[in-house]
Amino acid sequence: MKHQPVYQHVTTTSSLKQSVRSTGKCSILVIDDGSTDGMCRYIQEKTWLDDQSSNDDLNEQDNCWKVEEQVSCISLPTNEGKGAAISRGMMELQCSAEERNEHGNTRTRSIVLVADADGSGDIACLDDMIHSLECLLESSSTTTAAAAAAANENDLAIIVGKRQYPQSKKSPLRSLLSWGFRTCVSTLFIGTSTASSNNANTLGVTDTQCGFKLMTTQTGKVLYRQLNLKRWSHDVEVLYRASCMCRNVSVGECNVNWVDKDGSKLVSSGKDAFVMSAVMLGEIGKMRLLYALGRWNMSPRESE
């Protein structure tokens, strides 16, 4: 399953075409976060598929997967934020994954990729992410007998992309803000990790805000259920839950080729970037405090 949250992206379908041709045997679920430009209707009509065979950006020889499932879209009534949109999508996967598993004698592992709709991340890196996820699951299942039993039952693991920019493609301002944001987040969470494989002063990954995240469906249902942070800073809450509150969730990262696209919904100027970074850090600081005080928590079943 490929999961794409979108907002006002009716003119941006090149990444979705690339996903349909390149991600393989899967379903693609688009979550329309309250758009007013007819995004959900446009996706459901699938007229954007008509010219996908003429997309010169894709190499047919590299397309080693074959799409056999449908592309669908869910529309939220209002713009609730990226975190809320992904959370809703994860909950929609709950029944479909379980129903498919019940039909066969062998258990099939269901995975989900969360990706931005603007196509900033290179979908060709998916194979490497899948390999990293498989290695992470195998590694976590061989630590102890108890851990192996838990891993085999729940398959709780997540791979977070680590953005790799082509030379000179990342602006100095964005680089400075990214460094400052990562430093502040690491400082806020010093000593919180309960996973022995994670650094004690981080959430287990270098790039918390990367829009590419691959995980088992079960992991997505656990980490994204009832998020408190609904917008851009939700990634930190997801990783905090994985690294600090869930004992059996393994966290890893994998390099992803990345190019920032024009028309970002997050910031449009240097001033906006500073303001948004300050807002996000404020939300994360509040989250850290409220979890520490027990005002926010995960249900006992989710944190086991």
Side-chain angles (χ1 to χ4, degrees), residues 274-291:
F274 279 111
V275 171
M276 182 57 66
S277 296
V279 170
M280 291 171 64
L281 287 172
E283 291 178 346
I284 293 166
K286 177 183 176 181
M287 181 210 78
R288 179 75 175 89
L289 177 62
L290 292 178
Y291 269 113

Side-chain angles (χ1 to χ4, degrees), residues 40-58:
C40 193
R41 183 177 65 254
Y42 183 68
I43 292 296
Q44 291 174 337
E45 289 175 352
K46 300 182 182 178
T47 56
W48 47 271
L49 282 170
D50 295 342
D51 62 344
Q52 66 167 298
S53 60
S54 63
N55 191 338
D56 296 332
D57 295 334
L58 299 174

Side-chain angles (χ1 to χ4, degrees), residues 4 9 19 35 44 55 89 103 169 182 186 197 207 212 223 231 259 261 273 277 293 299 302:
Q4 285 187 283
H9 267 295
S19 301
S35 299
Q44 291 174 337
N55 191 338
H103 294 311
K169 289 294 185 180
R182 289 197 302 269
S186 296
S197 60
D207 189 358
F212 252 39
L223 298 182
R231 296 191 177 274
V259 177
K261 301 293 186 178
S277 296
L293 294 176
S299 69
E302 291 170 353

Side-chain angles (χ1 to χ4, degrees), residues 9 15 19 28 30 39 53 74 89 98 104 111 121 134 138 155 177 186 193 208 211 215 222 236 265 273 279 301:
H9 267 295
S15 66
S19 301
I28 297 178
V30 179
M39 181 70 198
S53 60
I74 296 173
E98 291 174 356
I111 60 176
E134 291 174 343
E138 292 175 3
D155 283 342
L177 289 173
S186 296
S193 178
T208 60
M215 67 206 78
V222 169
V236 177
K265 296 297 184 291
V279 170
R301 181 178 65 85

Side-chain angles (χ1 to χ4, degrees), residues 6-293:
V6 299
Y7 178 63
Q8 307 290 62
H9 267 295
V10 74
T11 59
T12 309
T13 56
S14 59
S15 66
L16 195 57
K17 294 176 188 177
Q18 183 179 3
S19 301
V20 169
R21 295 190 63 199
S22 304
T23 44
K25 185 178 181 180
C26 67
S27 298
I28 297 178
L29 176 61
V30 179
I31 308 300
D32 172 21
D33 188 22
S35 299
T36 58
D37 60 354
M39 181 70 198
C40 193
R41 183 177 65 254
Y42 183 68
I43 292 296
Q44 291 174 337
E45 289 175 352
K46 300 182 182 178
T47 56
W48 47 271
L49 282 170
D50 295 342
D51 62 344
Q52 66 167 298
S53 60
S54 63
N55 191 338
D56 296 332
D57 295 334
L58 299 174
N59 185 342
E60 194 68 41
Q61 294 180 349
D62 294 335
N63 183 18
C64 58
W65 296 58
K66 183 179 293 184
V67 174
E68 298 180 3
E69 301 291 340
Q70 76 274 14
V71 178
S72 57
C73 183
I74 296 173
S75 183
L76 303 185
T78 59
N79 179 239
E80 300 179 25
K82 182 179 179 180
I86 297 176
S87 177
R88 169 64 188 277
M90 289 295 180
M91 297 310 104
E92 291 294 324
L93 303 184
Q94 195 167 15
C95 294
S96 59
E98 291 174 356
E99 287 173 359
R100 284 197 298 270
N101 289 340
E102 289 172 0
H103 294 311
N105 295 325
T106 59
R107 182 170 171 271
T108 301
R109 177 176 288 151
S110 177
I111 60 176
V112 55
L113 171 70
V114 176
D116 294 338
D118 60 7
S120 296
D122 186 358
I123 197 66
C125 296
L126 180 58
D127 284 339
D128 290 338
M129 295 187 76
I130 291 175
H131 177 71
S132 296
L133 183 65
E134 291 174 343
C135 292
L136 192 62
L137 287 166
E138 292 175 3
S139 172
S140 63
S141 67
T142 57
T143 53
T144 64
N152 290 332
E153 179 181 357
N154 296 318
D155 283 342
L156 299 181
I158 178 172
I159 294 292
V160 181
K162 182 179 178 182
R163 288 172 285 191
Q164 302 295 306
Y165 289 86
Q167 190 173 9
S168 302
K169 289 294 185 180
K170 188 175 183 181
S171 69
L173 175 61
R174 188 180 287 268
S175 298
L176 177 61
L177 289 173
S178 297
W179 174 84
F181 186 85
R182 289 197 302 269
T183 301
C184 291
V185 169
S186 296
T187 302
L188 281 170
F189 292 96
I190 285 178
T192 59
S193 178
T194 59
S196 59
S197 60
N198 294 334
N199 294 327
N201 64 339
T202 70
L203 297 177
V205 299
T206 305
D207 189 358
T208 60
Q209 302 309 113
C210 181
F212 252 39
K213 293 180 176 65
L214 181 71
M215 67 206 78
T216 61
T217 303
Q218 179 68 16
T219 305
K221 292 188 291 181
V222 169
L223 298 182
Y224 284 88
R225 185 183 302 276
Q226 297 179 347
L227 286 176
N228 298 288
L229 299 181
K230 307 293 186 182
R231 296 191 177 274
W232 298 102
S233 52
H234 77 278
D235 299 278
V236 177
E237 183 177 9
V238 168
L239 292 172
Y240 177 73
R241 288 179 166 191
S243 299
C244 308
M245 301 192 69
C246 298
R247 298 178 181 178
N248 297 326
V249 177
S250 299
V251 181
E253 59 185 344
C254 178
N255 290 341
V256 174
N257 296 329
W258 198 273
V259 177
D260 291 320
K261 301 293 186 178
D262 295 333
S264 169
K265 296 297 184 291
L266 180 57
V267 295
S268 58
S269 68
K271 180 181 177 180
D272 289 343
F274 279 111
V275 171
M276 182 57 66
S277 296
V279 170
M280 291 171 64
L281 287 172
E283 291 178 346
I284 293 166
K286 177 183 176 181
M287 181 210 78
R288 179 75 175 89
L289 177 62
L290 292 178
Y291 269 113
L293 294 176

